[in-house]
Amino acid sequence: MQVNNLILGPEEEMDFLPIIPLNEGGQEDGQELTVPATIPLLPLRNTVLFPGVVIPITVGRDKSIKAVQDAYKSDKLIGVVAQKDSNIEDPGTADLVQIGTVAKIVKLIKMPDGGTTIIIQGKVRFRIDAITEEEPYFKAAITTLQDEQAPADEDFNAYVANIKELAAQIIQLSPNIPAEAGIILRNIENPAFLIHFVSSNLNTDINEKQQLLETGPLRQRADLLMQLLQKELQFAELRNKVTAKTRTELDKQQREYFLQQQLKSIKEELGGDTNAQEIREMQKKAEQKKWPETAKIAFQKGVEKLERMHPSTPDYSVVYNHLDLMLDLPWEAYTTDLYDLKKALATLDKDHYGMKRIKERILEHLAVLKLKGDMKSPILCFVGPPGIGKTSLGKSIANALGRKYVRLSLGGLHDESEIRGHRKTYIGAMPGRILQSIRKVQSSNPVMILDEIDKIGNDFRGDPSSALLEVLDPEQNSSFYDNYLELEYDLSKVLFIATANNLQGIQPALRDRLEIIDLSGYAVEEKVEIAKRHLIPKQKELHGLKSTPICFTDKLVERIIQDYTRESGVRELDRQIASIMRYEARELVLKAKVKPSLGPAVLEKILGKSRYSNDLYKTASIPGVAVGLAWTYVGGDILFIEASSCEGKGELKLTGNLGNVMKESATTALTYLQTNAKKYKMDPSLFTQQNIHIHVPEGAVPKDGPSAGITMMTAISSVLTGRKVKSYLAMTGEITLRGQVLPVGGIKEKVLAAKRSGIKEIILCAQNEKDVQEIEPGFIKGVKFHYVKTMGQVMEIALV
């Protein structure tokens, strides 16, 4: 059958591409085809050519172009073979299949872009006997494989009729195939060519097409083709079913929704196994996971539940996220502790100067771990003023132990769910921050810093500090229950380190679970060392002056500390050093040089006039003025107690924003002096004829506490007796109506504040002597301490 036109279409748009033959019998003008024994080969990537079928081919490889051109110039015959792997750009002999088709080049077209397109018609099958040449293109010795005559029995005719019927049904179900294809199909009379034509245009894998070509007997080829057509027909019917199912919803939603529905219908037809891949991955991870039996059972139940759910249901993501958390948690994954105590101490000393007590406590913990191999971690709490390195010390401890480090900021936390997690049924539910942190560091024994534990909020939304009771109890935290996880998790190996500025802000039950380690402020000598070892090198590097010679003498650093800072920590000192570095950096850029050493004049030019002066605290020139020592959350401080008297009726007036406890101390001091007036050679009538006014300067700052008791009594007795208080003297202590002096807290901070302010003598309760002995002797050199038990001793020392 001769057809003068060629119907072509883009392969990606057509499911069944009818390519019309020029001659059904594979002969032209009735002449027999003469095939030479050696023939050029044209490898094709994704195409199998069948005898009698005409196809267009775009030739791109240099080898192939050369082969086509040479063949076109001679007998126009070329051997077409398929590649085993279509991804190979330059195939070798081993990459070619052994059975192909001899093709005649019907037309060679030079394209405008420089490419070459040929139209070829398959003639006869052949087998490669040997590759005779590989350059400039493949040539092979071949043996032609002649097809047998079509069987004339009824069975084979039924095969042919069935093939036509199946192909017609596929064309009818495929809207992209033109209707003319069905007419052409019905008019093909040659059974062998019908099989080749349908096989060529079958939408199936190239390997299956190659199998069709290699199948020898025509009856077997027809049988295999029918199986493939049946599969193609089922796929076309299923595709039509999916399309019909979603067509009614097309007008309601956008194109994306349409595609989602199609995907949903396809997955339903596959049996609803929509999440099989995700579940398989989870199960694979679970097999390698080391976790408790309870967690393993809970995970298995969750997976079984997930398998029964469709991904579009709201609960699917809830269950999936819960299982994902279980897989991510490091249930029994621990880092190995470093038991080298000397190395651990060296690490701690390198990062922080001083802090001897904390370092000893960490080394003790390490020593026990080394001997016993396992123990519950202590719950430490570092209490001290801001800026002394509590938080950074936690990181240093983690480095010394060889553990992971994670910090949890508790300041302002007001929701109990932040600790224990939310119930997973709520929208936006998450595990608590404890488990989130452990999930993040992937270790069940990290060093966890609970920063600012004294600043946890407490309101109608919950009490997080009560939730921490379970976390920070070594007897309970081995079975910590998170509301989201709904399983017990072992926190007993976690080394919790809490930090706080004020113990009063921690509720008593929580405070009872903590091992309190007090961190007092730094002495001037300590600050000088910290500046030289850490702050100055750090600021030089931050300001690009690492290699610039800038000398900070001890006296210069000491002057910066005393004249420009009043703090227990070193943050303000760090800022002042940064100011100096910025000035030096500007000088270096503008003048290309810097002064290697700084003097007082340059320091004043950079930082301005001295912000603080010790002269104010050194002397009290009139009677009635005494110097007290106070503790604040930022460290120790000095304060004046001023008393004056005037004619009146014996009333006591208190000003200076004093709290109730401090007011009661003033009343107690006045009552004691009135009771013991004769003993201290005072006129008893003064207490009924004179009004006494006590004032504490800096009235905007609230003040409270019993520690100013002896200072108030000294100021009152000074104004009533007219005797001045000794210069360079400060004092702190609580008093009783019996005249006893009681101990107070915060001694180290108060003593260091006195030393910073130039005080030379300090009066303390005798029971506070042990607190002074804990202070490094070098830090309080030049300060004389008077330890007293009664108010009589205080007055004897203080009044001149």
Side-chain angles (χ1 to χ4, degrees), residues 56-71:
I57 298 291
T58 300
V59 185
R61 300 172 181 148
D62 293 339
K63 277 187 176 183
S64 300
I65 292 172
K66 178 69 174 166
V68 166
Q69 288 173 346
D70 288 355

Side-chain angles (χ1 to χ4, degrees), residues 31 50 160 212 224 251 281 299 301 394 422 550 646 657:
Q31 297 177 0
F50 288 84
V160 173
L212 279 167
L224 179 58
D251 295 334
E281 289 176 3
F299 178 81
K301 286 181 179 178
H422 308 82
I550 302 173
C646 61
N657 202 351

Side-chain angles (χ1 to χ4, degrees), residues 238-525:
L238 180 60
R239 185 172 54 221
N240 264 23
K241 184 178 179 181
V242 172
T243 305
K245 192 170 184 179
T246 57
R247 188 175 293 133
T248 55
E249 301 178 15
L250 185 60
D251 295 334
K252 299 177 184 178
Q253 301 293 339
Q254 298 296 326
R255 181 173 178 272
E256 288 79 9
Y257 183 73
F258 167 67
L259 295 174
Q260 287 173 3
Q261 289 299 315
Q262 277 198 325
L263 183 63
K264 177 181 175 182
S265 301
I266 291 169
K267 289 180 177 179
E268 284 179 354
E269 290 297 332
L270 290 172
D273 192 13
T274 55
N275 54 345
Q277 185 62 32
E278 290 177 342
I279 294 173
R280 276 198 300 270
E281 289 176 3
M282 279 188 160
Q283 288 173 328
K284 192 174 179 181
K285 285 183 183 176
E287 288 171 4
Q288 302 168 356
K289 195 81 178 170
K290 186 180 178 184
W291 51 7
E293 191 64 28
T294 52
K296 190 176 182 180
I297 294 169
F299 178 81
Q300 194 57 44
K301 286 181 179 178
V303 166
E304 291 171 2
K305 187 177 180 182
L306 201 64
E307 287 175 333
R308 297 192 297 269
M309 300 171 71
H310 195 275
S312 61
T313 59
D315 285 347
Y316 180 85
S317 60
V318 174
V319 177
Y320 181 86
N321 291 336
H322 182 249
L323 295 177
D324 190 46
L325 170 68
M326 291 179 67
L327 285 174
D328 278 354
L329 284 173
W331 290 89
E332 294 179 4
Y334 304 105
T335 55
T336 306
D337 289 338
L338 303 176
Y339 296 126
D340 190 339
L341 268 63
K342 291 182 180 178
K343 188 175 180 181
L345 181 59
T347 303
L348 293 171
D349 285 340
K350 179 185 174 185
D351 295 339
H352 291 81
Y353 180 78
M355 299 187 177
K356 186 177 178 183
R357 185 179 170 192
I358 291 180
K359 293 174 182 177
E360 288 176 351
R361 181 64 185 86
I362 298 302
L363 293 179
E364 288 168 2
H365 177 66
L366 264 180
V368 175
L369 275 176
K370 186 173 183 179
L371 294 174
K372 190 173 180 287
D374 181 34
M375 70 172 291
K376 291 181 179 178
S377 294
I379 315 294
L380 305 178
C381 181
F382 299 160
V383 179
I388 61 171
K390 298 185 295 296
T391 305
S392 60
L393 183 60
K395 192 167 188 177
S396 179
I397 289 170
N399 292 336
L401 294 173
R403 293 191 182 187
K404 299 284 185 70
Y405 166 81
V406 62
R407 187 180 73 88
L408 203 63
S409 181
L410 300 178
L413 199 71
H414 52 70
D415 190 353
E416 173 252 351
S417 298
E418 292 281 344
I419 305 296
R420 282 210 186 100
H422 308 82
R423 301 285 178 192
K424 69 173 184 285
T425 51
Y426 296 140
I427 294 173
M430 292 187 300
R433 292 174 67 181
I434 300 286
L435 285 193
Q436 284 186 50
S437 300
I438 287 176
R439 181 186 193 177
K440 179 182 173 183
V441 296
Q442 286 296 299
S443 170
S444 286
N445 65 336
V447 173
M448 187 174 290
I449 302 297
L450 303 176
D451 214 6
E452 311 293 357
I453 198 172
D454 57 328
K455 297 176 183 62
I456 296 179
N458 182 0
D459 56 19
F460 66 93
R461 285 168 289 195
D463 183 8
S465 61
S466 296
L468 282 172
L469 294 176
E470 181 185 6
V471 177
L472 300 181
D473 189 342
E475 301 301 322
Q476 297 180 40
N477 63 10
S478 58
S479 55
F480 170 67
Y481 186 86
D482 185 274
N483 292 330
Y484 185 88
L485 183 62
E486 294 183 342
L487 288 168
E488 292 181 348
Y489 195 89
D490 185 5
L491 298 178
S492 61
K493 304 293 190 299
V494 178
L495 176 55
F496 288 103
I497 298 178
T499 70
N501 298 129
N502 184 6
L503 275 179
Q504 306 306 316
I506 306 174
Q507 65 153 300
L510 183 58
R511 192 164 63 235
D512 182 59
R513 286 162 165 78
L514 303 174
E515 183 179 335
I516 307 295
I517 299 179
D518 286 309
L519 293 177
S520 19
Y522 293 117
V524 174
E525 291 80 4

Side-chain angles (χ1 to χ4, degrees), residues 135-270:
E135 295 295 339
Y137 49 80
F138 290 114
K139 274 191 177 182
I142 64 167
T143 301
T144 56
L145 305 172
Q146 296 294 336
D147 285 334
E148 62 179 13
Q149 288 296 321
D153 56 82
E154 291 296 324
D155 191 24
F156 185 74
N157 290 338
Y159 268 113
V160 173
N162 204 4
I163 287 171
K164 279 189 177 183
E165 182 63 27
L166 288 171
Q169 288 181 37
I170 292 172
I171 292 171
Q172 191 176 0
L173 289 171
S174 302
N176 292 327
I177 299 178
E180 292 85 352
I183 299 169
I184 295 166
L185 190 68
R186 286 195 296 273
N187 291 324
I188 296 177
E189 297 173 358
N190 188 329
F193 178 70
L194 174 69
I195 293 171
H196 294 156
F197 176 68
V198 175
S199 299
S200 179
N201 293 284
L202 192 62
N203 186 18
T204 186
D205 184 69
I206 189 170
N207 293 324
E208 292 177 335
K209 286 188 177 184
Q210 182 65 29
Q211 188 181 354
L212 279 167
L213 182 66
E214 292 178 1
T215 303
L218 207 56
R219 191 186 300 273
Q220 291 182 20
R221 208 178 305 168
D223 185 52
L224 179 58
L225 178 59
M226 276 184 58
Q227 293 177 29
L228 295 174
L229 282 171
Q230 286 283 3
K231 188 168 75 172
E232 175 68 16
L233 180 60
Q234 288 176 14
F235 180 75
E237 288 174 345
L238 180 60
R239 185 172 54 221
N240 264 23
K241 184 178 179 181
V242 172
T243 305
K245 192 170 184 179
T246 57
R247 188 175 293 133
T248 55
E249 301 178 15
L250 185 60
D251 295 334
K252 299 177 184 178
Q253 301 293 339
Q254 298 296 326
R255 181 173 178 272
E256 288 79 9
Y257 183 73
F258 167 67
L259 295 174
Q260 287 173 3
Q261 289 299 315
Q262 277 198 325
L263 183 63
K264 177 181 175 182
S265 301
I266 291 169
K267 289 180 177 179
E268 284 179 354
E269 290 297 332
L270 290 172

Side-chain angles (χ1 to χ4, degrees), residues 353 356 521-529 558 562 748 751-752 754-756 759 771-785:
Y353 180 78
K356 186 177 178 183
Y522 293 117
V524 174
E525 291 80 4
E526 287 180 300
K527 289 184 180 182
V528 170
E529 285 299 320
E558 193 172 328
Q562 291 182 338
K748 183 176 180 182
V751 169
L752 293 178
K755 180 71 163 61
R756 284 197 299 267
I759 298 296
D771 300 310
V772 176
Q773 290 173 353
E774 291 180 0
I775 305 173
E776 190 73 30
F779 300 160
I780 50 177
K781 187 178 180 181
V783 179
K784 184 179 180 182
F785 291 92

